[in-house]
Amino acid sequence: GAGEITYGSPVAVSAWVDDDSEIVKNSEGQDILTKNKIMTKTAIGTQSRIWLPSLSTSDDTLARTPVQVRKVGTGTNSTLYLVLL
Protein backbone atom coordinates (compact mmCIF):
# COMPACT_ATOMS: atom_id res chain seq x y z
CA GLY A 1 0.00 0.00 0.00
CA ALA A 2 0.87 3.66 -0.05
CA GLY A 3 3.78 4.66 2.16
CA GLU A 4 5.03 1.11 2.70
CA ILE A 5 8.73 0.38 2.36
CA THR A 6 9.62 -2.15 -0.31
CA TYR A 7 12.98 -3.84 -0.70
CA GLY A 8 14.89 -5.30 -3.61
CA SER A 9 16.89 -8.51 -3.56
CA PRO A 10 19.63 -8.79 -0.92
CA VAL A 11 23.12 -7.68 -1.96
CA ALA A 12 26.32 -8.88 -0.27
CA VAL A 13 28.78 -6.14 0.69
CA SER A 14 32.29 -6.31 2.07
CA ALA A 15 32.35 -5.16 5.67
CA TRP A 16 34.10 -5.48 9.00
CA VAL A 17 31.67 -6.73 11.67
CA ASP A 18 32.30 -6.51 15.41
CA ASP A 19 30.22 -7.68 18.37
CA ASP A 20 30.73 -4.49 20.35
CA SER A 21 28.04 -2.76 22.40
CA GLU A 22 27.43 0.98 22.49
CA ILE A 23 24.56 3.11 23.78
CA VAL A 24 23.39 5.58 21.14
CA LYS A 25 20.34 7.75 20.52
CA ASN A 26 17.90 6.60 17.87
CA SER A 27 16.02 8.95 15.53
CA GLU A 28 13.43 9.61 18.28
CA GLY A 29 16.11 10.57 20.81
CA GLN A 30 15.81 7.37 22.88
CA ASP A 31 18.89 5.62 24.26
CA ILE A 32 19.34 2.26 22.52
CA LEU A 33 21.91 -0.42 23.31
CA THR A 34 23.46 -1.53 20.02
CA LYS A 35 25.15 -4.91 19.88
CA ASN A 36 27.01 -4.87 16.56
CA LYS A 37 29.18 -2.44 14.64
CA ILE A 38 29.71 -2.71 10.90
CA MET A 39 32.33 -0.73 8.97
CA THR A 40 31.90 -0.64 5.21
CA LYS A 41 32.63 1.43 2.12
CA THR A 42 29.05 0.85 0.97
CA ALA A 43 26.50 3.51 1.90
CA ILE A 44 23.84 1.94 4.14
CA GLY A 45 20.57 3.71 4.85
CA THR A 46 18.81 3.72 8.21
CA GLN A 47 15.89 1.81 6.66
CA SER A 48 18.11 -0.87 5.13
CA ARG A 49 17.77 -4.47 6.23
CA ILE A 50 20.99 -6.17 7.31
CA TRP A 51 21.70 -9.84 7.89
CA LEU A 52 24.85 -10.56 9.87
CA PRO A 53 27.29 -13.15 8.46
CA SER A 54 26.05 -16.75 8.61
CA LEU A 55 22.37 -15.71 8.78
CA SER A 56 20.02 -16.70 5.98
CA THR A 57 18.75 -13.80 3.88
CA SER A 58 15.71 -15.92 3.02
CA ASP A 59 14.46 -15.45 6.61
CA ASP A 60 13.24 -11.84 6.95
CA THR A 61 12.88 -12.23 10.73
CA LEU A 62 16.68 -12.39 11.02
CA ALA A 63 17.16 -9.00 9.33
CA ARG A 64 18.22 -6.04 11.45
CA THR A 65 17.81 -2.33 10.75
CA PRO A 66 20.46 0.22 11.69
CA VAL A 67 19.94 2.27 14.84
CA GLN A 68 22.47 4.78 13.56
CA VAL A 69 24.71 5.25 10.52
CA ARG A 70 27.77 7.51 10.72
CA LYS A 71 30.05 8.71 7.95
CA VAL A 72 33.34 8.28 9.81
CA GLY A 73 36.02 9.12 7.32
CA THR A 74 36.85 9.85 3.77
CA GLY A 75 39.96 8.58 2.13
CA THR A 76 41.34 9.51 -1.21
CA ASN A 77 39.14 6.95 -2.97
CA SER A 78 36.30 6.13 -0.60
CA THR A 79 34.10 7.06 2.32
CA LEU A 80 33.71 4.73 5.32
CA TYR A 81 30.40 4.19 7.08
CA LEU A 82 29.95 2.94 10.64
CA VAL A 83 26.62 1.15 11.02
CA LEU A 84 25.34 0.44 14.53
CA LEU A 85 22.84 -2.39 14.96
Side-chain angles (χ1 to χ4, degrees):
E4 289 184 28
I5 298 172
T6 58
Y7 297 97
S9 297
V11 176
V13 298
S14 296
W16 170 80
V17 180
D18 190 22
D19 296 329
D20 186 25
S21 299
E22 182 176 336
I23 296 174
V24 298
K25 297 218 181 278
N26 66 9
S27 59
E28 288 84 37
Q30 301 166 317
D31 286 337
I32 302 292
L33 176 64
T34 62
K35 297 180 181 178
N36 301 100
K37 293 181 180 179
I38 298 172
M39 185 76 70
T40 182
K41 293 180 181 179
T42 303
I44 305 273
T46 56
Q47 294 184 344
S48 296
R49 294 186 302 177
I50 297 173
W51 286 264
L52 295 174
S54 78
L55 298 180
S56 172
T57 58
S58 63
D59 185 347
D60 287 343
T61 65
L62 299 176
R64 310 263 305 277
T65 55
V67 174
Q68 195 175 88
V69 177
R70 302 177 191 161
K71 191 184 290 188
V72 294
T74 56
T76 54
N77 296 323
S78 63
T79 299
L80 292 176
Y81 298 90
L82 175 63
V83 181
L84 302 172
L85 300 175

